[in-house]
Amino acid sequence: MQLRSLIKQATLVGVMAAQGFIAPAVVAQSQPDLTPLPIDPKVTIGKLDNGLTYYIRPNEKPQKKVELRLVVNAGSILENDDQQGLAHFMEHMNFNGTKNYPKNELVDFLQSLGVQFGADLNAYTSFDETVYILPIPTDKPGNLEKGFEVLGDWAHNANLTDEDIDAERGVVLEESRGGKGAQDRMMRKYLPKLLANSRYADRLPIGKEDILKNFDYQTLRAFYRDWYRPDLMAVAVVGDVTAEEAKALIEKYFGGITNPTPSRARQSYPIEPYGAATAMVVTDKEATNYMFQLQLSVRDEAKQVVVNDYRNKLVEQIFNQILNKRYQELSQSATPPFIAAFAQNGSFIRGYENFSLISIPSTDIEKAIHAAIAELVKAEKFGFNATELELVKKQMMSNIEKAYNERNTTESERLVSEYVRNFLTQEPIPGIEQEYNYYQQMLPTITLDEVNKLAQKWLNKDAFSEYFSLITGPDSRQMKVPTDMELKELVSKALAQEVSANAEKVIADKLLDKEPVPGTIVSESKDADLDATTYTLSNGVKVTVKPTDFKSDEIIMTAVKKGGTNNYPAADKSNVNFMDNVIEAMGYGSFTPTALSDALSGKTVSLLPRMGELSTGLRGSSSVQDLKTLMELTYLQLTQPRRDEDLYQGFITNMNTQLQFLDANPQIAFFDTLGKTMYGDNPLRPIMVPTPADIKQINMDRVLEIYKQEFGQADGFHFFIVGNINADSLKPLMEKYIASLPVKGVAPSFKDNGLRPVAGNHRLDFYKGTEPKSLIMAQYYGETPFAEDLTIKAQMLAEVLNIIVIEEMREKMSAIYSGGVSGSVERDPYNHYSFQLYLPCGPESVAPLLAEMDKEIANLKTTEVEEKNLNKVKLAMIEKRKEAIKTNNYWNSKLEQLVFWNYDKQNFLNAEQRVNSVTAADLKAAAIKLFDGKNSLIAVLYPEKD
């Protein structure tokens, strides 16, 4: 069920990690190059007479699509005291009525083009800017011009009627409500200190609730008049369009906009240095983890204007990456002082930069602070070593080579983001060809001394004379938390500690100690319809290969065999659920995770094991030149899982720390209870929210035994390789590294373990949390004979309901900010279907929203879907497929579905016709079948009762 993956995603604890990276640094640096940085000749940059800036870049990836951006150099920092939250509110209003698209006609119109609200059409507001995002499919004449008309309306034709403003208040307040919780409460306490009591501390984009509820209409109109003006705007156009056509449309829809007279100055607001060393500890009973921060005073951000500035930025990147590679190694050690740590010189407020350190303690806050700061002291006193420098240089060169190789297949969405940043922060845009040249010329000349001098510049005694240190976390006695004064003393003590330099490391130059004995290809079969070839190898393993030109330097590889967690009893639940993590934590062959990362520096390659309910396998990728390394890594990981009890215990320590306070979060506790209610007391029920008790059930040797059973024997494996592949080069690699994999001669299988959600209709009301916020998670499910056509209808029913969620629940009822419905019909391990409704809302809105959903589901069964909505859904599905079918990931998953799992190939090839053939009557019949009212679980999270 999709519920399981949704909850799993919602409970993942984010872990920061840094890239690792080699190239000889022996060339002496010449005199600084003061030549101005060039601008990519592929982009046309201009300015209209009214001051509006524009960027135009023709690009055919993807075809028949143009990415449009309206960038307004104005955000919440410019709000008057009585306008707090109105920069963001204005962003909302631009979707709720303009001159050419009154009321909610804009979203309706764009949906008719296949543009989905939220997924495609979107916007964001920050302290300093507001950016509108509009992708437009151009396969029909007139679409592109309509897109420019929308952008022009956003820029100066918002209606801002009293009625529309009042209707949107509830939506914005719901968005504000959604952000409330432990992190928000703690942030509001420490933000004034973090931002040195600057204006930024009092201008959070979400604003203040009393203002959002009560502001006068003219106050919002004044913000729009003052700051939405051409001299503060840019239009960026990237996609399948000519520069001449785009320029003409920009002039047509933006050339006539005038600046207000008089115009208010676009003021910049300063952030002052801290002036002293300070510390603060903030706790909350609903927080789920401790975090330590050390922020040094801000300074003006160094601009990149001349070529030498670009070189300086490369030196900074090297420094940041070496330091963070050290932190990553410590977090993966046998006795990790922290779960993760991250430090860098960077910018979190436009125009300023500072050095900052963040660490998530493992078992002891003092130990984590001491270890994290030790690396800063070590860097300042001893610097880094030559091996570290060369590893990072090598990885940086590999990354830029991949970007250069894909210069002709780079997506428009990625390119347009660069132009947005250039307008807002003057980030240089010399173009990938020039940047590749810079890397080739500059990286070899960057010396260890240059990098080490940055540590002396950023981390010297004077720099640490003023800082802000912070601990946030649970209000609990399970870990000793210092007071403000004790925290300051801990930092001072850590800064004064004695350290020693890191030793040089020896980096392995090969992955395999012994080369495998190659097998052979015994047969091959071409599928002309899919343009793919399946090879059968001498050990029985199959490999399906599809060469593509979607990306110039990308190869995607997966492997799959039947099996999975369903084959194991409840006693092994933790072993199979955490197997991937345990194996990755210990490494492969003679390589610890750190040693393997070092050995792969300079390679664009990744490979991870995966274990689902019905299958086990691998998922990996590589650049074209690193395909051999991917094959070697495949053989290594499948044949040599590593047993390391110390690293295993380090993993267990980190997991226990991450999980010990999870149930303090109301939503996570709710998800956990929901999962238990969904499957009753069945011991096979999935682990929705991991707990320390689940971790305690892991047995390292049993995990290794299961891994060797599932992955160590290649029987039944089918590999799928898609991308820029040369079959002649691939064949000997398949024979050597895949055909050589050991087999037992036993065909693997999966099983239906009998796990089912509870039958009947059930209600769960769960009370936890102090904020006035609720969450509806409604499940509708059952068993039905499987048919592939029914899967499409289930998806379409869900999308029809999503349109209704936006139109009725968000726009008319103003009861939600976000939410939606998903639906699926599954064949394996048994024929079943499920729909999930997800609606964050206020407690007062629960009953009306559930009543509305009941009404809409009943309507689907009694009244045919409006033709307009049916066409929107069809067009959106077709547009997404047109784009997806030009990607390697999509083909990889579809080949697995068709070739390995034996789904109907003709249904896939005729997908567009199948979508278009679905009628309103078909959906009504499907709704009657799938919403039969027999099985449901309506779960609602409420705040704690008084």
Side-chain angles (χ1 to χ4, degrees), residues 81 85 87 221 232 237 365 445 474 524 566 639 679 725 753-754 821 927:
D81 288 344
R221 293 167 189 148
L232 293 179
V237 185
I365 291 175
T445 73
E524 60 182 84
N566 275 12
T639 61
Y679 296 100
I725 306 162
N753 65 2
V821 182

Side-chain angles (χ1 to χ4, degrees), residues 62-65 111-116 120 137 139-140 792 795-796 799 869-886 890 907-918:
Q63 294 180 336
K64 301 295 183 182
K65 186 176 182 180
Q111 286 173 336
S112 73
L113 303 183
V115 178
Q116 290 186 306
D120 303 313
D139 48 353
K140 293 182 181 178
I792 290 181
Q795 294 169 25
M796 295 176 78
E799 291 306 323
N869 285 346
L870 178 58
N871 289 335
K872 287 179 184 178
V873 168
K874 289 180 178 180
L875 192 54
M877 293 178 71
I878 290 168
E879 286 296 331
K880 288 201 176 302
R881 184 178 188 272
K882 283 180 180 177
E883 194 168 326
I885 207 166
K886 296 292 186 180
Y890 178 82
N907 283 343
F908 166 73
L909 294 172
N910 300 312
E912 186 170 332
Q913 296 94 308
R914 290 173 64 215
V915 169
N916 280 326
S917 68
V918 175

Side-chain angles (χ1 to χ4, degrees), residues 58 80 215 239 398 503 702 784 878:
N80 299 335
F215 69 84
S398 175
R702 177 58 176 154
T784 190
I878 290 168

Side-chain angles (χ1 to χ4, degrees), residues 471-482:
I471 288 176
T472 56
D475 182 6
S476 170
R477 297 180 181 178
Q478 291 178 251
M479 193 179 290
K480 186 178 183 300
V481 181

Side-chain angles (χ1 to χ4, degrees), residues 274-554:
Y274 289 125
T278 59
M280 187 176 186
V281 177
V282 183
T283 60
D284 191 284
K285 70 176 185 178
E286 293 179 6
T288 58
N289 65 280
Y290 289 102
M291 180 180 291
F292 165 70
Q293 293 189 50
L294 181 63
Q295 300 283 346
L296 302 191
S297 286
V298 300
R299 56 189 180 276
D300 291 340
E301 185 175 13
K303 298 296 182 183
Q304 296 184 66
V305 179
V306 300
V307 172
N308 195 61
D309 296 331
Y310 190 94
R311 186 181 186 281
N312 290 339
K313 187 59 69 173
L314 290 182
V315 179
E316 289 188 18
Q317 289 177 28
I318 291 172
F319 177 93
N320 287 340
Q321 290 192 33
I322 294 176
L323 182 58
N324 285 301
K325 191 167 176 60
R326 287 187 172 188
Y327 284 130
Q328 184 180 34
E329 291 174 8
L330 284 170
S331 70
Q332 295 175 337
S333 65
T335 54
F338 38 69
I339 295 168
F342 180 80
Q344 69 169 5
N345 185 72
S347 173
F348 64 94
I349 293 292
R350 190 204 294 182
Y352 294 94
E353 63 183 9
N354 80 316
F355 191 89
S356 61
L357 164 66
I358 297 175
S359 172
I360 301 175
S362 181
T363 57
D364 185 285
I365 291 175
E366 181 175 355
K367 181 181 177 182
I369 293 173
H370 194 80
I373 292 180
E375 294 306 318
L376 305 184
V377 177
K378 200 182 298 183
E380 194 276 335
K381 187 173 183 179
F382 299 109
F384 304 120
N385 60 50
T387 302
E388 292 174 310
L389 175 67
E390 298 311 314
L391 284 171
V392 167
K393 281 186 177 182
K394 188 175 180 181
Q395 190 59 51
M396 288 175 67
M397 198 65 226
S398 175
N399 293 344
I400 198 68
E401 281 178 354
K402 180 174 174 59
Y404 174 76
N405 291 340
E406 292 183 348
R407 63 194 179 279
N408 296 321
T409 53
T410 301
E411 292 83 358
S412 298
E413 186 176 12
R414 180 176 173 182
L415 292 171
V416 77
S417 298
E418 293 184 9
Y419 306 143
V420 171
R421 294 193 298 271
N422 176 262
F423 176 70
L424 294 171
T425 67
Q426 294 75 59
E427 177 184 306
I429 47 172
I432 187 59
E433 294 86 355
Q434 186 60 61
E435 293 200 63
Y436 183 51
N437 288 336
Y438 286 155
Y439 271 66
Q440 288 180 309
Q441 296 163 13
M442 294 174 182
L443 275 183
T445 73
I446 294 174
T447 66
L448 188 60
D449 183 60
E450 285 181 88
V451 178
N452 289 340
K453 281 181 178 176
L454 287 181
Q456 297 160 17
K457 173 184 175 182
W458 292 334
L459 306 175
N460 59 47
K461 186 176 181 180
D462 288 340
F464 281 111
S465 66
E466 50 184 44
Y467 61 76
F468 173 59
S469 59
L470 171 70
I471 288 176
T472 56
D475 182 6
S476 170
R477 297 180 181 178
Q478 291 178 251
M479 193 179 290
K480 186 178 183 300
V481 181
T483 64
D484 292 1
M485 183 59 69
E486 288 171 340
L487 173 57
K488 185 178 176 182
E489 291 172 355
L490 284 177
V491 173
S492 297
K493 182 180 176 181
L495 288 168
Q497 66 184 290
E498 292 296 324
V499 295
S500 56
N502 278 17
E504 293 273 3
K505 294 191 292 186
V506 177
I507 309 302
D509 57 2
K510 60 181 181 178
L511 293 180
L512 301 174
D513 294 332
K514 182 180 179 181
E515 293 294 318
V517 177
T520 60
I521 297 172
V522 297
S523 67
E524 60 182 84
S525 174
K526 174 78 174 180
D527 188 317
D529 293 327
L530 301 176
D531 191 23
T533 302
T534 296
Y535 301 90
T536 301
L537 309 183
S538 52
N539 59 355
V541 174
K542 293 185 177 182
V543 183
T544 296
V545 179
K546 179 177 175 64
T548 71
D549 58 2
F550 307 141
K551 298 287 285 184
S552 304
D553 200 18
E554 179 182 80

Side-chain angles (χ1 to χ4, degrees), residues 818-861:
S818 63
V821 182
S822 60
S824 65
V825 178
E826 305 293 341
R827 186 188 68 185
D828 302 314
Y830 66 99
N831 292 183
H832 67 281
Y833 67 87
S834 64
F835 287 84
Q836 295 84 34
L837 169 68
Y838 176 85
L839 293 176
C841 62
E844 72 283 356
S845 297
V846 169
L849 286 170
L850 286 173
E852 180 65 27
M853 182 53 62
D854 287 345
K855 184 187 81 172
E856 298 300 343
I857 289 174
N859 285 343
L860 288 176
K861 296 192 290 182

